[in-house]
Amino acid sequence: MNTTRTDTVATPRRFPLREVVLFAALLVAVLGVYAVMGAAYSTRMLVEASCYAILALGLTIQWGYAGQFNAGVMGFVALGGFAAMFFSVPINEAFWGTELPGELGIALLYLIGAVLLVFGATRLDRLGVPRRLRTVIAVVLAVVLYLAVISMLRGVTGEIESRAGFIGGLGLPAWTGWIVGGALAGGVGYFIGHICLGLRSDYLAIATLGIAEIIKAFLKNSDWLTRGTATVSPLPWPTPGPAELGFTLSRALYLSVTAVMIAAIFFLLHRAYHAPWGRMIRAIRDNEVSAAAMGKDINRRRLEIFVLGCVLMGIGGAALGSFNSMFDPQGYLPLNHTFLVLVMVILGGPGNNLGTIFGAVAVYVIWIMSEPLALFLMQLAVSFGEGAFGWDAPGNLESRALQARVFVIGLLITLVLRFAPKGLLPEKVKHHS
């Protein structure tokens, strides 16, 4: 009897030389920053870089895993920061000790009822109502209910601002705000995904960018909820703060918390990437038509990955907001909280979790250190010019050095796109035969 035997030849694993060299160079750069700037400053830089690494991991699974270009990272970061503020700030007795919470609750119930009525009007065609008439009814009902509810809300929120300032927080541990921040960002991402994920990549980028600006505008103008431009501070930490342990040790403890979070997220994403779910997501990214022909639910899977990325952005935004110990809606900028995260993912390599972490830390070190380095070089040039040519020193060197950040990051992204378009640690695609 003949038997057929299939031999599988295992290819030897490559020594990760590029990874070792890049991370060694990054370690040398970080140690150099510690030597020049001191432990307290450098540890703060690493904590902020670790928070950005969580944001970048959220973006790399959207863009790298599923090819979804999210240009509205700032909005989800702001939602995470808001949740961290709302759940950790002490209770405001000037609000909760009055009848205002009941009035606000009634207004919010009317708002929920109005939304449900409009939603029901959009489903009238199932009862035999013509679609054009259904649309007219829904639009008219939405306008009337909006005017009625917004008038009620303005009355209540005006009373809150005049009598209590704002509603305050819930006085809970900071980590609860981190969890809720991820859930809130994921919930908003679910709503956005239902509307926008059917768009092409360029239109999806425009839509998410606009939605991020809407979120920022809402938080900035809702003085009764966030104090608007007046900011809320200080925000409690989930760990002992500088008052208990000093700046360096407290920041090091905070860094250990964010490092554990990154390790857990990296482990889960690595398992998901190599699981059948991850292979299916990449199949949808590479050839959506073929994946649909094989019976895959394209829209559901794309929504899953979009929501998952938004959850990580919310958690990272909450951790960053707590560490900065201040919630300022006006401080969320597309340059700092969207474009910088995009540069991190591009430099590290979309779809490569390890590369994304490397890109986040490397880009943030360059972003932070470009200002003092540019200031040093400018002062050196001014000293030379005054001694050799009698130049007059300009009086705004600090502001000019600050603008060097944008130039350095722009130059960096140009070089990466020219010489390493897939990133310094590109995604490793396994081919099966």
Side-chain angles (χ1 to χ4, degrees), residues 41-268:
Y41 180 93
S42 304
T43 307
R44 177 185 180 90
M45 177 192 68
L46 286 181
V47 174
E48 293 174 344
S50 64
C51 295
Y52 270 90
I54 299 175
L55 302 178
L57 286 171
L59 181 61
T60 199
I61 62 175
Q62 290 179 341
W63 187 16
Y65 284 20
Q68 301 168 358
F69 190 78
N70 182 0
V73 178
M74 176 189 71
F76 302 104
V77 176
L79 289 174
F82 163 73
M85 179 276 295
F86 183 71
F87 278 80
S88 62
V89 167
I91 294 174
N92 183 6
E93 292 295 340
F95 169 75
W96 292 102
T98 64
E99 76 283 357
L100 292 175
E103 295 180 2
L104 180 61
I106 293 173
L108 294 177
L109 286 176
Y110 274 104
L111 175 62
I112 295 172
V115 171
L116 293 176
L117 282 175
V118 174
F119 178 78
T122 61
R123 296 294 186 270
L124 287 176
D125 56 316
R126 298 183 178 183
L127 300 178
V129 178
R131 289 193 174 184
R132 290 186 179 180
L133 180 59
R134 174 210 62 182
T135 303
V136 172
I137 294 174
V139 171
V140 172
L141 190 62
V143 172
V144 172
L145 292 177
Y146 171 80
L147 293 176
V149 173
I150 203 67
S151 176
M152 181 183 298
L153 275 174
R154 283 175 178 171
V156 176
T157 56
E159 284 291 317
I160 294 174
E161 293 172 13
S162 62
R163 294 169 56 182
F166 81 123
I167 66 176
L170 299 179
L172 298 174
W175 57 266
T176 59
W178 295 13
I179 296 174
V180 176
L184 178 61
V188 174
Y190 182 84
F191 173 76
I192 294 172
H194 264 297
I195 300 173
C196 299
L197 285 183
L199 301 174
R200 284 187 341 192
S201 58
D202 46 355
Y203 294 114
L204 176 62
I206 296 172
T208 51
L209 179 62
I211 291 169
E213 292 294 338
I214 292 172
I215 294 173
K216 176 183 175 180
F218 171 77
L219 295 175
K220 186 173 68 173
N221 293 290
S222 299
D223 293 358
W224 62 276
L225 184 62
T226 64
R227 295 192 70 208
T229 56
T231 72
V232 180
S233 64
L235 303 186
W237 285 12
T239 57
E244 293 87 358
L245 300 177
F247 283 103
T248 303
L249 185 57
S250 62
R251 291 171 178 177
L253 185 59
Y254 202 106
L255 176 61
S256 66
V257 173
T258 55
V260 170
M261 292 170 57
I262 292 174
I265 293 170
F266 178 84
F267 173 76
L268 294 175

